[in-house]
């Protein structure tokens, strides 16, 4: 949005700039270094991803990095691996309910927080930020201890044995993701044009109708983006999942970690490549939605600004 | 309350108010319930357990002793290693991230949106996959260690399993968290200040040091906090790239809870880690608020 004005500024200042540039003989060097540094950082960021994808197509039966030519065979192996099938199914069985619950809870809470006093809001905020700040490993282990202790109590009291499995993973994932959705939707709410809501009630719309026809459509991009982020978080999570999963509920990240511990194979890379494709696709959809939203409100840079303002 | 006139007006409003309160409660209930059951309860149980003793078969036995904290302080090695690694990681992120953020904010032009997106994508994508890929990149087969061995002839040269590999993993994993806040502060910076500084005869370095850097400082502090905190609690990276040899707090916690099954000892460590987080955050908030006050004053 500020690009044209900036360009104009540059154009008008050009003569002055050129003068100072002549004096400053380091200018070219500094500019070159900045550019080179940026290129190197992007190479650093993408090199590992490219390597994983590349070595998924390696036609080798020996070491994973010894290149033997191009082939799709490891994708075939991955496609026919029943362990991968089960892990994939588990990942969806965890990620989808988690995303639905977190989106629902987070959106509801964001709307509810508009209606409460400062004290309640601060208390809620404290919990929201705590759930994001406390290291994942601490959340994972303390949740494990809580579940294990709680299940023991239930077993001695009622004789019912509860096992770790999908519900425990989902319950633990929903915590972080609710906070994530809450922050996203609230950011959108605070950037919303209140006059539309007021106009709606001035025109005798009921609160529910105002919500349905004004508030909800305006929040929708943030809600969908929240859903997608919650989904990818859950789909990619290793730390929390590994500690609160039970026998038979291993997700794809747990499968990959197991493979990594035994030694990466081209099959690992093939599975990883498919996960990368899938999550990057999901994220791009989320990004497009947010960009569409920020174009409407004229602020923010999509997910980047969300993370920056977190 | 006792006066007669407002009653007719207040009376019909009451059911509405009740319904409003009910709706608010319903809206906040699920998230609130989750916070209580899966955040407050687990953290509370960890605090309670940290004062207990280890049951004979592992786990927790009620008690009130400070032994676990004494042991956590006595065996503070993982904590110190974490502190050193997280500090080194934060400094490395700072050195790599500042020029990048500066470039994005001032030089990227119309590619800005694309470059930011390219920074976000890996950050949200499969942390585990991006971490294990360094096993290939740094590995002895055709990775960095292999190249170095081929050039120097030193067949024993290894990167994986050393703190350096863990550090690379940390910087790689958390760099975007440093870049975003710095980028945001630099982006909002009034560009005319730089022109003014140059007009007043300051050279490039003096302008950077006296104008750009102070403006970027809040972003740099935010970025440092954002990378430092998750690095302190990192578990996957030292496990995969450090082969578990660079023994951080996360690894110590897992050993305590799962292998030694000494829940009280692990709990004490966890409480210590959480306390460090909150002290860091409090200091940070203090810094931010202090900064805001001085900025207001300077604007006056």
């Amino acid at each position: 949005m500020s690009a044209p004005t900036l360009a104009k500024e540059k154009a008008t200042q050009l003569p002055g700039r050129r003068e100072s540039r002549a004096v400053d003989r380091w200018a070219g060097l500094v500019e070159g270094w900045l550019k080179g540094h940026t290129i190197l950082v992007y190479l650093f960021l993408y090199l590992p991803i490219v390597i994983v994808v590349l070595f998924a197509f390696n036609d080798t039966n020996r070491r994973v990095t010894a290149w033997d030519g191009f082939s799709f065979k490891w994708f075939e192996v991955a496609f026919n691996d029943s362990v991968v099938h089960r892990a994939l199914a588990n990942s969806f069985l965890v990620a989808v309910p988690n995303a639905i619950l977190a989106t629902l809870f987070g959106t509801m809470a964001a709307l509810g927080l508009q209606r409460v006093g400062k004290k309640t809001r601060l208390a809620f905020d404290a919990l929201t930020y705590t759930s994001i700040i406390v290291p994942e490993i601490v959340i994972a282990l303390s949740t494990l201890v809580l579940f294990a202790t709680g299940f023991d109590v239930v077993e001695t009291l009622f004789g019912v044995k509860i096992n770790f499995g999908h519900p425990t993973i989902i319950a633990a994932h929903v915590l972080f993701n609710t906070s994530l959705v809450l922050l996203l939707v609230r950011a959108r709410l605070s950037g919303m044009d209140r006059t539309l809501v007021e106009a709606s009630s001035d025109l005798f719309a009921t609160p529910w109708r105002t919500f349905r026809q004004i508030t909800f459509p305006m929040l929708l991009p943030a809600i969908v983006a929240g859903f997608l982020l919650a989904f990818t978080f859950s789909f990619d999570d290793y730390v929390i999942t590994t500690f609160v999963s039970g026998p038979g509920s291993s997700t794809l990240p747990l499968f990959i970690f197991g493979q990594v511990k035994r030694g990466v194979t081209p099959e690992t890379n093939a599975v990883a490549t498919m996960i990368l494709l899938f999550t990057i696709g999901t994220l791009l959809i989320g990004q497009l939605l947010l960009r569409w939203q920020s174009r409407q409100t004229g602020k923010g840079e999509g997910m980047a600004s969300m993370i920056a303002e977190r | 309350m006792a006066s007669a006139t407002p009653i007719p007006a207040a009376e019909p409003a009451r059911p509405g108010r009740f319904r409003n309160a009910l709706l608010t409660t319903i809206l906040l209930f699920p998230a609130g319930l989750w916070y209580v059951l899966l955040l407050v309860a687990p953290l509370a149980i960890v605090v309670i357990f940290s004062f207990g003793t280890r049951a004979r078969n592992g786990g927790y036995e009620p008690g009130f002793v400070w032994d676990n904290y004494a042991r956590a302080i006595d065996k503070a090695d993982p904590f110190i290693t974490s502190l050193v690694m997280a500090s080194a990681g934060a400094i490395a992120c700072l050195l790599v991230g500042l020029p990048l953020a500066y470039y994005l904010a001032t030089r990227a032009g119309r590619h800005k949106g694309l470059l930011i997106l390219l920074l976000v994508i890996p950050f949200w994508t499969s942390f585990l996959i991006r971490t294990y890929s360094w096993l290939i990149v740094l590995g002895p087969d055709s990775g960095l260690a292999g190249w170095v061995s081929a050039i120097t002839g030193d067949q024993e040269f290894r990167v994986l399993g050393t703190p350096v590999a863990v550090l690379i993993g940390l910087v790689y994993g958390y760099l975007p968290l440093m870049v975003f806040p710095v980028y945001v502060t630099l982006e909002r910076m009034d560009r005319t200040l730089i022109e003014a500084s140059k007009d007043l005869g300051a050279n490039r370095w003096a302008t950077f040091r006296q104008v750009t850097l102070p403006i970027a400082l809040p972003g740099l502090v935010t970025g440092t906090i954002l990378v430092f905190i998750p690095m302190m609690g990192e578990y996957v990276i030292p496990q995969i790239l450090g082969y578990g040899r660079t023994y951080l707090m996360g690894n110590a916690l897992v050993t305590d809870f799962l292998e030694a099954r000494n829940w009280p000892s692990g709990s004490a460590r966890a409480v210590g880690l959480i306390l460090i987080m909150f002290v860091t955050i409090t200091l940070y908030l203090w810094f931010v608020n202090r900064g805001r006050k001085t900025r207001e004053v300077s604007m006056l």
Side-chain angles (χ1 to χ4, degrees):
Chain A
M1 42 161 195
S2 62
T5 47
L6 234 153
K8 212 183 275 175
E9 252 176 51
K10 250 182 204 159
T12 51
Q13 283 167 358
L14 229 115
R17 273 263 173 90
R18 203 165 275 164
E19 232 172 51
S20 67
R21 215 171 264 176
V23 180
D24 191 351
R25 59 203 175 81
W26 292 100
L29 218 61
V30 171
E31 295 299 323
W33 168 69
L34 273 175
K35 197 166 201 168
H37 179 86
T38 306
I39 293 170
L40 279 179
V41 173
Y42 278 94
L43 282 178
F44 171 68
L45 284 177
Y46 281 90
L47 175 73
I49 297 178
V50 172
I51 293 284
V52 164
V53 175
L54 194 68
F55 281 106
F57 293 101
N58 189 1
D59 183 29
T60 179
N61 291 317
R62 305 174 292 130
R63 286 192 319 247
V64 60
T65 50
W67 186 258
D68 271 356
F70 184 91
S71 134
F72 278 106
K73 78 172 182 191
W74 290 104
F75 284 89
E76 229 177 284
V77 170
F79 272 128
N80 294 321
D81 188 338
S82 65
V83 180
V84 175
H85 290 174
R86 212 173 317 129
L88 181 70
N90 282 331
S91 284
F92 274 100
L93 284 173
V94 166
V96 173
N98 152 75
I100 293 171
L101 289 177
T103 310
L104 195 66
F105 295 176
T107 309
M108 282 167 73
L111 290 167
L113 283 177
Q114 284 198 306
R115 310 157 58 92
V116 297
K118 200 176 174 196
K119 261 187 196 156
T120 320
R121 203 169 56 235
L122 280 178
F124 224 89
D125 280 357
L127 290 172
T128 308
Y129 286 110
T130 305
S131 70
I132 290 176
I133 288 162
V134 173
E136 217 184 349
I137 189 79
V138 172
I139 296 266
L141 288 169
S142 56
T143 309
L144 165 69
V145 167
L146 176 84
F147 282 161
T149 313
F151 293 170
D152 273 357
V153 169
V154 169
E155 200 184 346
T156 48
L157 285 185
F158 307 106
V160 186
K161 189 157 172 56
I162 309 173
N163 285 316
F164 285 88
H166 295 139
T168 44
I169 306 175
I170 294 166
H173 282 187
V174 165
L175 174 74
F176 176 82
N177 288 322
T178 298
S179 302
L180 188 71
V181 175
L182 168 58
L183 292 180
L184 277 178
V185 174
R186 199 164 60 173
R188 176 74 173 147
L189 267 175
S190 67
M192 217 170 81
D193 190 356
R194 303 293 301 169
T195 52
L196 283 173
V197 174
E198 279 156 28
S200 170
S201 52
D202 283 352
L203 293 168
F204 303 109
T206 60
W208 170 242
R209 202 153 167 214
T210 305
F211 173 76
R212 215 161 38 95
Q213 297 189 335
I214 307 288
T215 316
F216 184 71
M218 286 180 82
L219 292 182
L220 199 58
I223 293 174
V224 176
F227 180 91
L228 294 176
L229 283 184
F231 178 87
T232 26
F233 169 84
S234 187
F235 200 77
D236 284 342
D237 178 73
Y238 170 73
V239 174
I240 291 177
T241 314
T242 186
F243 293 116
V244 296
S245 67
S249 62
S250 289
T251 57
L252 278 174
L254 267 57
F255 166 79
I256 289 185
F257 194 88
Q259 294 253 302
V260 168
K261 285 275 127 182
R262 262 173 280 140
V264 177
T265 67
E267 188 195 355
T268 322
N269 289 334
V271 175
T273 301
M274 289 186 275
I275 297 178
L276 283 171
L277 263 179
F278 180 67
T279 43
I280 289 178
T282 314
L283 287 168
L284 280 177
I285 295 170
Q287 172 68 20
L288 285 176
L289 280 166
L290 282 168
R291 185 166 290 182
W292 175 66
Q293 153 185 335
S294 67
R295 200 168 293 160
Q296 284 186 320
T297 52
K299 62 182 248 190
E301 299 251 358
M303 266 185 266
S305 68
M306 272 151 39
I307 296 164
E309 280 152 29
R310 197 164 74 173
Chain B
M1 201 172 149
S3 68
T5 33
I7 283 176
E11 204 79 314
R14 198 161 285 170
R17 197 184 298 164
F18 174 73
R19 259 179 50 194
N20 257 335
L22 186 68
L23 180 58
T24 309
T25 314
I26 291 172
L27 285 174
L28 291 178
F29 182 75
L33 183 74
W34 236 260
Y35 285 155
V36 170
L37 289 183
L38 284 139
L39 181 66
V40 178
L43 295 184
I45 214 171
V46 160
V47 173
I48 294 169
F49 279 16
S50 69
F51 292 105
T53 52
R54 182 183 186 272
R56 195 179 304 157
N57 299 324
Y60 162 77
E61 209 163 77
F64 188 83
V65 291
W66 290 93
D67 298 10
N68 304 307
Y69 287 96
R71 196 178 312 130
I73 293 167
D74 194 40
K75 293 182 177 171
D77 296 1
F79 176 75
I80 292 166
T81 314
S82 275
L83 208 61
V84 170
M85 291 303 288
S87 306
I91 292 169
C93 279
L94 203 77
L95 294 177
V96 177
L98 178 61
L100 176 66
Y102 187 77
Y103 182 87
L104 290 176
T106 61
R107 304 286 192 276
R110 64 195 172 84
H111 298 301
K112 199 184 275 182
L114 179 69
L115 288 174
I116 298 279
L117 183 65
L118 285 175
L119 204 60
V120 177
I121 286 175
F123 181 69
W124 279 102
T125 312
S126 313
F127 190 71
L128 186 63
I129 295 173
R130 292 188 300 121
T131 302
Y132 96 66
S133 62
W134 284 98
L135 287 175
I136 304 173
V137 178
L138 299 176
D141 280 352
S142 36
L144 181 70
W147 287 95
V148 173
S149 292
I151 292 166
T152 60
D154 175 12
Q155 294 305 316
E156 293 304 300
F157 182 85
R158 289 289 180 275
V159 185
L160 293 169
T162 69
V164 176
V166 178
L167 194 64
I168 291 174
L170 289 175
V171 174
Y172 181 70
Y174 295 108
L175 180 66
L177 284 179
M178 173 66 83
V179 178
F180 293 132
V182 180
Y183 164 76
V184 170
T185 45
L186 286 175
E187 159 89 326
R188 288 180 191 154
M189 179 173 88
D190 186 357
R191 231 50 72 68
T192 53
L193 285 173
I194 291 181
E195 294 297 321
S197 169
K198 281 186 180 155
D199 287 350
L200 291 169
N203 65 18
R204 195 170 271 273
W205 173 241
T207 304
F208 175 76
R209 209 164 41 86
Q210 296 178 358
V211 180
T212 313
L213 206 56
I215 288 174
L217 193 62
L220 286 170
V221 173
T222 305
T224 308
I225 297 286
L226 284 182
V227 300
F228 180 80
I229 283 178
M231 282 178 182
M232 273 301 285
E234 185 50 49
Y235 166 68
V236 170
I237 294 171
Q239 200 66 13
I240 293 182
L241 299 180
Y243 294 166
R245 283 181 214 151
T246 307
Y247 198 66
L248 302 187
M249 275 299 272
N251 310 72
L253 285 172
V254 173
T255 309
D256 277 353
F257 275 104
L258 299 185
E259 282 159 37
R261 282 186 58 77
N262 192 340
W263 289 5
S265 168
S267 297
R269 279 218 172 103
V271 172
L273 188 59
I274 296 168
L275 282 179
I276 294 291
M277 304 283 151
F278 279 103
V279 168
T280 317
I281 298 285
T282 312
L283 283 176
Y284 165 69
L285 289 176
W286 172 78
F287 169 83
V288 169
N289 289 330
R290 189 199 57 137
R292 191 168 295 156
K293 220 169 271 170
T294 50
R295 213 174 303 148
E296 274 165 18
V297 171
S298 67
M299 259 188 256
L300 287 173

